[in-house]
Amino acid sequence: PATDMVRAADVDVDVDVDVDVDRVSPPLIVHGPGGSGKSSFMARVVADMARRHPQAVIITRFVGTTPDSTDLITLLRGLLVELARAYDQPEDLPEGNLETLIQALPERLAWASPDRPLLLALDALDQFTPMLETGNHRWLPRTLPPCTALLLSVLDGPLQEAAASRFPDAMLVGLPALSHEDGGRLLEAMLLAGHQHVGKPRRLTPDQRRTVLDAFAQDGRPLYLVLAAGLTRDWRAWEHPDALPPSVEG
């Protein structure tokens, strides 16, 4: 699957995320351009956290995957209920407007304990329906309680800058563009995985491989390579393909 292909691209990004039960852990903010593998990197961090801390409560939200997920009020209501269930607390939601939901979030995050630490992972903050609270991330508590880790991802640009301003002590992880050499290794892995069902790996000629990687070098994002590799399915060994568009948008 394409998601697995992209996940292979972030193996060189070495970040250790852990819950510190003795003090407040600063948030981790993953940022990069669209298609740089932020969601797959987030998924890898969450999976590693679950492996190292089987007793932890792990709550994830992927904003933008459904229409309802882009609505801040809906997301907050869901988070508050899930936190209550995870920590065996009453599920009643506070009455009132958005502000009362925002005020309730840090209160429920404080239920985390050394025996049951918490990881809250929020992917794609840039996908929220635009409003003041999502533009400046004011709905997220500036100070986290002990035994709680916050993992965020956001596109490069104003929203990433706002997140860094909201959490000045945060660990910022920028996902860089892949090198030409990294792209070559990832391309080979994708061709192998994508053609296992035919009994032998798909091979490109040196000229075809150079066409893909020369275009990839201008973009550098894993998503571009996923799309470009898909174009090679119909190439024959004797074909000399034209240059590929230099961006995903193209």
Side-chain angles (χ1 to χ4, degrees), residues 70-73 98 128-137 159:
T70 65
D71 179 72
L72 179 58
I73 291 179
L98 174 60
F128 275 119
T129 301
M131 59 190 306
L132 178 62
E133 288 79 6
T134 57
N136 58 20
H137 311 296
L159 288 176

Side-chain angles (χ1 to χ4, degrees), residues 31-152:
H31 63 94
S36 59
K38 295 184 296 298
S39 295
S40 61
F41 179 80
M42 292 271 287
R44 193 189 71 176
V45 172
V46 169
D48 184 62
M49 185 73 176
R51 178 185 58 80
R52 290 194 288 169
H53 297 274
Q55 81 283 13
V57 173
I58 298 178
I59 297 178
T60 59
R61 290 293 186 274
F62 295 89
V63 183
T65 55
T66 65
D68 285 346
S69 69
T70 65
D71 179 72
L72 179 58
I73 291 179
T74 301
L75 181 134
L76 276 171
R77 291 173 65 90
L79 285 179
L80 296 179
V81 169
E82 188 168 351
L83 284 164
R85 290 173 180 171
Y87 289 100
D88 298 320
Q89 299 289 333
E91 296 180 19
D92 298 341
L93 291 172
E95 297 182 0
N97 54 18
L98 174 60
E99 191 62 34
T100 62
L101 296 174
I102 291 174
Q103 292 172 2
L105 182 59
E107 296 172 1
R108 300 199 178 191
L109 294 179
W111 291 337
S113 66
D115 292 335
R116 300 207 70 200
L118 171 67
L119 171 64
L120 178 58
L122 304 170
D123 181 48
L125 297 182
D126 48 275
Q127 293 298 308
F128 275 119
T129 301
M131 59 190 306
L132 178 62
E133 288 79 6
T134 57
N136 58 20
H137 311 296
R138 189 185 64 82
W139 67 279
L140 289 167
R142 188 184 294 272
T143 301
L144 298 174
C147 309
T148 301
L150 181 61
L151 177 61
L152 310 170

